[in-house]
Amino acid sequence: MTEQLAARAKSGDSEAFAKLFCEVQDELYRVAYLYVRNSEDAKDIVQETAYRCFKSIKRLRQCEYFRTWAVKTAMNCALDMLRKNRRTQPFDDYQVPVETVSSPENAVLASVTLEKLMNSLNEREKSVLLLKYMYEMSFDEIAKTLKLPIGTVKTILYRAVDKMKKENSYET
Amino acid sequence: MKREIEKALQTIPVPELENSVRAGIARAERNGITMTRSVKKIAAISAAVVVICAVAVITVMNSRISVEKVLNEPVADFSPIVYNDATEDISLQLCGISDTNLVVRAAVNDAENSRLCGLSAVSVGNFTVVDKDGNVVADDEGLAGTYQIDTVVYKLDKDGNVIEGLEELHEYLDRAGKEFKALCDALEKGYKLHVSSLNGTDEDGNPIEIYGDWESELVINTVLDGSAFVADDGDVRVEFMTKDDGSQDLVITMNDTSKYPYSDVVTIWPTVYFTFDEDGNMMGATQGPPSSRAVRGGSFGKIFKTEEDGQITIVNAEYGHYTMRIYDLGIELANGERYELQGFWEASFDGNREPLKEGETDEQYESWKKEYDAWVEEYESSMSGH
């Protein structure tokens, strides 16, 4: 189904693209939010991602990679926005919704993890961490995606994990 | 880890996004006016604004007054190739490389045009960068390319002069222009930038988008012979030194410690440095003094330490084969005195850890990987509550 939609989208069918994009838009928003830390900018990034993806979907060779491609585009949009604005919103405009927290322990874990993701890591570290663990890319794939030497990717990941680990042990 | 990240992401509430997505698609279909939130604020998403913008763009495209004063100052010695768009309203210039960014300079040629008069800032919108072989190395789509456009906004006055955002570049060119030019002559890389839109800001802070067709080319040609592993000009020695554990550090040694009392050194910075991989590809570049006690940017050294034997070690943080070139060193002592050491140093470094060829093993890398894997495992165990 996804591939059919992607094929139609590649031929310029905006409705098909909208349906296809709908499947990933929440995820894109959340990834964007990790970088910009506020809802309005994250929505702008989703819009910009939709714009860029629709404009260049013809160049997407393998439709099954639409999700990963869209995420990479969203990351790039977020980085562009950060570079342009050189500003981020304070973390305090975000509240962990009560309904997602099943226990006090989970609440601490969830909020701390999210806070660490957003505040402890720089943009590069966020990108590498997400691509490695969330999208399960290999080091080689991440290196190609971010155009970094593979050793640098490993070092960045190493540092990112180390940072989170240290914060976790510090807080616990 | 994946589970934890997913869990964390899931806690972010998602608002209604359909309108944003539809707006993005509509924009792509039109391939025109930006409909981001900031534009929506000033334009109220009205057709009238679209019309006004279109008229203004037409006005921009139809006017021309040449203003060369911005472009011909220190950058002239840098020999970039400057291209104007067809109407010569705005010039774009690919000036050089700073960190991993291509530095682009925009100048307004039409100081009399009412629309451009109000243009107080310019940054690059849609762009493509291609290398000398025609490969796209960076664009505004996805995460392509090693180099990205430096999105520092250049503020312009009403005459089109840059009033903010390029001071550092000016200083850089004044101090090292000739050396950089010499380097450019010897480099082997070339980039061409094509820009089809500029994002501007008027004096009231309202965004303006200008469409055009600009192309600029930066040719840098260097052939690395890899022969200079140690550089020494009498005052300063720059080299990579192998430590007992096999890793290597970039070490800067003050040969005359009476002249440069290394033990008092609190800051050291290269005025310009470049790093290259073993194929001669530029890995990073930077210039100017860092703002803090560190060597900034590029692939090398975030930390340095002074050694008792007169050496300043910039700790290597990366793996691989690199050549580093340094143009001029600055040193600040604890008493606030500063020294500028003019010179050119080049040193090569072979960490021999990355990239490993298929089937090849490397003891140091394996050791590092083992340590890394152990950390990850320990971390994941702690996160999963084991």
Side-chain angles (χ1 to χ4, degrees):
Chain A
M1 182 61 180
T2 299
E3 289 185 21
Q4 285 175 349
L5 284 174
R8 281 170 52 202
K10 284 178 79 166
S11 67
D13 184 337
S14 60
E15 281 306 314
F17 178 84
K19 283 181 187 167
L20 187 66
F21 200 84
C22 182
E23 294 173 10
V24 296
Q25 65 187 30
D26 288 4
E27 184 177 347
L28 299 183
Y29 173 86
R30 288 177 169 129
V31 168
Y33 194 96
L34 272 186
Y35 289 84
V36 296
R37 310 184 205 179
N38 75 85
S39 179
E40 288 304 311
D41 282 348
K43 280 165 74 175
D44 273 356
I45 289 167
V46 171
Q47 182 190 129
E48 182 67 19
T49 306
Y51 165 73
R52 292 186 187 187
C53 286
F54 188 53
K55 206 173 72 167
S56 54
I57 192 169
K58 284 179 184 171
R59 284 189 270 161
L60 180 64
R61 290 180 191 161
Q62 292 169 280
C63 298
E64 64 266 32
Y65 294 130
F66 176 79
R67 174 180 174 240
T68 313
W69 176 65
V71 167
K72 285 190 287 185
T73 305
M75 282 180 176
N76 199 36
C77 291
L79 293 172
D80 283 348
M81 179 176 280
L82 288 176
R83 275 196 294 268
K84 279 180 183 171
N85 294 345
R86 300 282 181 207
R87 66 176 172 82
T88 51
Q89 297 298 314
F91 182 54
D92 58 14
D93 75 333
Y94 168 75
Q95 299 292 328
V96 177
V98 175
E99 63 272 21
T100 64
V101 177
S102 56
S103 69
E105 185 184 346
N106 280 346
V108 171
L109 184 62
S111 62
V112 167
T113 303
L114 181 60
E115 189 172 344
K116 276 189 291 192
L117 274 173
M118 298 205 321
N119 294 344
S120 305
L121 305 181
N122 63 35
E123 280 72 36
R124 255 187 180 183
E125 290 166 344
K126 283 175 193 170
S127 300
V128 170
L129 201 75
L130 283 175
L131 294 176
K132 177 66 185 169
Y133 292 113
M134 187 75 184
Y135 300 100
E136 299 177 322
M137 285 188 181
S138 66
F139 283 122
D140 190 44
E141 286 171 324
I142 297 171
K144 283 175 183 160
T145 300
L146 300 179
K147 297 292 176 188
L148 292 170
I150 196 166
T152 304
V153 170
K154 287 177 180 174
T155 305
I156 291 171
L157 184 67
Y158 184 63
R159 286 179 186 155
V161 170
D162 188 31
K163 271 187 190 177
M164 296 185 70
K165 175 177 173 285
K166 278 179 180 164
E167 285 224 355
N168 196 47
S169 60
Y170 172 76
E171 287 168 12
T172 55
Chain B
M1 179 66 88
K2 177 180 166 68
R3 191 168 52 83
E4 295 303 330
I5 295 174
E6 276 178 338
K7 199 190 292 179
L9 286 174
Q10 288 301 322
T11 62
I12 298 172
V14 179
E16 190 281 318
L17 292 171
E18 190 181 346
N19 289 341
S20 297
V21 174
R22 293 279 174 197
I25 295 170
R27 217 176 103 217
E29 286 183 313
R30 280 198 313 277
N31 201 21
I33 304 298
T34 302
M35 295 288 280
T36 55
R37 173 171 49 95
S38 50
V39 172
K40 278 189 273 187
K41 278 182 186 170
I42 65 155
I45 325 174
S46 69
V49 170
V50 174
V51 171
I52 290 167
C53 288
V55 170
V57 168
I58 290 166
T59 307
V60 167
M61 296 306 180
N62 285 335
S63 58
R64 64 175 65 204
I65 292 177
S66 177
V67 177
E68 289 296 326
K69 55 193 166 195
V70 177
L71 299 174
N72 287 338
E73 286 177 2
V75 188
D77 202 28
F78 186 81
S79 72
I81 301 169
V82 181
Y83 287 90
N84 293 324
D85 70 335
T87 58
E88 299 182 355
D89 296 314
I90 293 179
S91 297
L92 275 192
Q93 191 174 33
L94 194 53
C95 302
I97 298 173
S98 168
D99 294 326
T100 54
N101 295 323
L102 292 168
V103 177
V104 180
R105 189 177 194 187
V108 176
N109 294 333
D110 185 358
E112 301 299 320
N113 180 279
S114 60
R115 179 175 169 80
L116 294 181
C117 266
L119 197 65
S120 64
V122 173
S123 63
V124 174
N126 297 330
F127 65 89
T128 307
V129 179
V130 296
D131 66 14
K132 60 175 180 170
D133 300 322
N135 302 313
V136 174
V137 295
D139 62 19
D140 60 331
E141 311 288 345
L143 281 166
T146 301
Y147 300 109
Q148 298 189 355
I149 298 297
D150 191 331
T151 52
V152 170
V153 172
Y154 302 150
K155 288 189 178 173
L156 310 172
D157 65 16
K158 289 186 177 181
D159 296 327
N161 296 311
V162 176
I163 55 174
E164 191 179 319
L166 279 178
E167 288 83 354
E168 188 178 22
L169 183 63
H170 275 281
E171 182 189 13
Y172 160 46
L173 292 167
D174 286 341
R175 292 170 62 183
K178 286 184 180 175
E179 287 83 357
F180 194 92
K181 184 172 183 293
L183 179 73
C184 288
D185 289 340
L187 280 172
E188 205 176 33
K189 283 278 178 186
Y191 299 98
K192 186 180 281 186
L193 170 75
H194 186 96
V195 175
S196 58
S197 81
L198 290 173
N199 301 316
T201 308
D202 69 16
E203 290 170 317
D204 299 325
N206 300 318
I208 300 170
E209 198 157 10
I210 301 168
Y211 300 96
D213 208 18
W214 299 272
E215 198 163 78
S216 181
E217 192 170 5
L218 175 69
V219 179
I220 309 174
N221 297 301
T222 280
V223 178
L224 292 175
D225 59 12
S227 58
F229 288 91
V230 178
D232 194 337
D233 73 343
D235 283 339
V236 178
R237 181 180 169 90
V238 181
E239 62 191 314
F240 285 100
M241 296 183 74
T242 304
K243 296 189 294 188
D244 292 341
D245 65 359
S247 64
Q248 290 182 289
D249 290 342
L250 172 68
V251 177
I252 298 171
T253 306
M254 304 293 123
N255 289 334
D256 182 353
T257 53
S258 62
K259 191 174 177 183
Y260 303 111
Y262 59 88
S263 58
D264 289 337
V265 169
V266 294
T267 303
I268 184 166
W269 66 86
T271 304
V272 184
Y273 84 67
F274 300 90
T275 52
F276 306 88
D277 68 12
E278 58 191 323
D279 297 323
N281 299 312
M282 187 180 286
M283 306 293 291
T286 190
Q287 80 287 331
S291 58
S292 62
R293 182 190 159 96
V295 175
R296 68 175 193 177
S299 299
F300 280 90
K302 307 297 184 288
I303 314 162
F304 74 88
K305 56 187 177 184
T306 54
E307 303 284 2
E308 291 179 357
D309 54 2
Q311 294 169 346
I312 295 165
T313 303
I314 299 174
V315 178
N316 168 47
E318 304 292 344
Y319 307 114
H321 181 109
Y322 299 100
T323 295
M324 178 183 246
R325 292 181 177 199
I326 297 177
Y327 290 78
D328 302 344
L329 286 169
I331 294 174
E332 184 175 319
L333 306 182
N335 62 8
E337 287 181 41
R338 286 188 168 206
Y339 296 90
E340 298 279 337
L341 308 178
Q342 306 298 320
F344 164 64
W345 298 272
E346 182 179 88
S348 290
F349 158 69
D350 190 355
N352 196 27
R353 299 183 188 181
E354 289 293 341
L356 287 173
K357 291 172 185 170
E358 194 173 343
E360 196 176 27
T361 60
D362 180 277
E363 199 175 318
Q364 289 164 359
Y365 171 69
E366 291 301 327
S367 167
W368 176 85
K369 188 173 182 305
K370 199 173 170 184
E371 185 190 359
Y372 164 76
D373 289 342
W375 278 61
V376 173
E377 192 179 340
E378 188 184 337
Y379 172 73
E380 289 186 334
S381 298
S382 69
M383 291 300 285
S384 60
H386 295 301

